[in-house]
Amino acid sequence: MIAFVSGPVAALSPDTAVVEVGGVGMSVQCTPGTLAALRLGEPARLATSLVVREDSLTLYGFADDDERQVFELLQTASGVGPRLAQAMLAVHSPDALRLAVATDDEKALTAVPGIGKKGAQRLLLELKDRLGAPVGGGTVPAPAAAAPASWRDQLHAALVGLGYQPRQADEAVAAVAPEAEAEGGTPNVSALLRSALKTLNRAR
């Protein structure tokens, strides 16, 4: 198992980072929140989980070990594969997911694209004794460094990547623009993504 990768960031896309490890470029699938903390050419360390399939090897990257652990625990629930687990972490931090499961917060889970009401109810039952109690630590990466693209471009690409139509993504970006402008400096793309998803969920 590849527990982590460490090295300079060689490339960034809306859902992938390429980290150079010993002269080899490792392609790592990441959430928008994790990508927002990375900068081209700067050193990075990502906790990773390798998903092996008959026709592919996919490396998923996380801001820390806690996020990786939750990613792997989510997949122990029926119907949850790596992509859905990553989508859940794109919308909620590990502690927010623990809190949602601990408090039977069905709405928090249905805010994730691909999870309906029945799916949320099943997940709440299956994950009840697996995720544990919220630990209270901040696990969402803080975007102290400038994002490789504007927050609007990153947010739009993240929403499209989660399955929304470009027009829906445009409307959601416009809806959270006042929040981004109020922050000043470099907006927290991860927080904006959560706000945008809540807006889209209400519009259903």
Side-chain angles (χ1 to χ4, degrees):
M1 177 182 176
I2 302 174
F4 70 90
V5 294
S6 179
V9 178
L12 289 166
S13 72
D15 59 0
T16 305
V18 176
V19 179
E20 185 179 339
V21 182
V24 177
M26 305 288 284
S27 179
V28 187
Q29 298 280 321
C30 302
T31 64
T34 298
L35 291 168
L38 304 178
R39 292 185 66 185
L40 281 172
E42 295 292 326
R45 184 186 188 280
L46 297 173
T48 56
S49 179
L50 180 63
V51 175
V52 181
R53 294 287 185 265
E54 285 187 7
D55 58 348
S56 66
L57 294 173
T58 306
L59 200 59
Y60 290 84
F62 309 94
D64 54 34
D65 292 335
D66 183 42
E67 200 171 72
R68 176 185 61 195
Q69 182 181 24
V70 170
F71 171 79
E72 293 173 347
L73 286 172
L74 289 173
Q75 293 177 73
T76 64
S78 58
V80 179
R83 289 190 179 278
L84 183 56
Q86 189 178 52
M88 293 172 75
L89 285 166
V91 178
H92 300 294
S93 69
D95 249 12
L97 285 172
R98 292 190 185 101
L99 183 62
V101 172
T103 59
D104 290 322
D105 189 349
E106 187 181 301
K107 287 186 177 180
L109 295 188
T110 56
V112 178
I115 298 181
K117 185 174 182 178
K118 289 184 178 179
Q121 292 171 344
R122 186 189 71 249
L123 287 171
L124 288 173
L125 286 173
E126 292 191 31
L127 296 171
K128 197 75 172 179
D129 300 319
R130 302 182 192 180
L131 291 187
V135 296
T139 55
V140 178
S150 75
W151 70 264
R152 289 177 182 273
D153 291 340
Q154 275 201 308
L155 183 57
H156 189 278
L159 290 168
V160 172
L162 287 172
Y164 288 100
Q165 296 298 317
R167 182 178 176 182
Q168 291 176 301
D170 287 337
E171 293 171 353
V173 169
V176 301
E179 179 182 338
E181 291 165 2
E183 287 187 32
T186 303
N188 187 324
V189 177
S190 183
L192 291 175
L193 177 62
R194 294 190 181 98
S195 297
L197 288 167
K198 288 177 184 176
T199 299
L200 289 164
N201 197 41
R202 285 197 298 267
R204 286 179 181 175

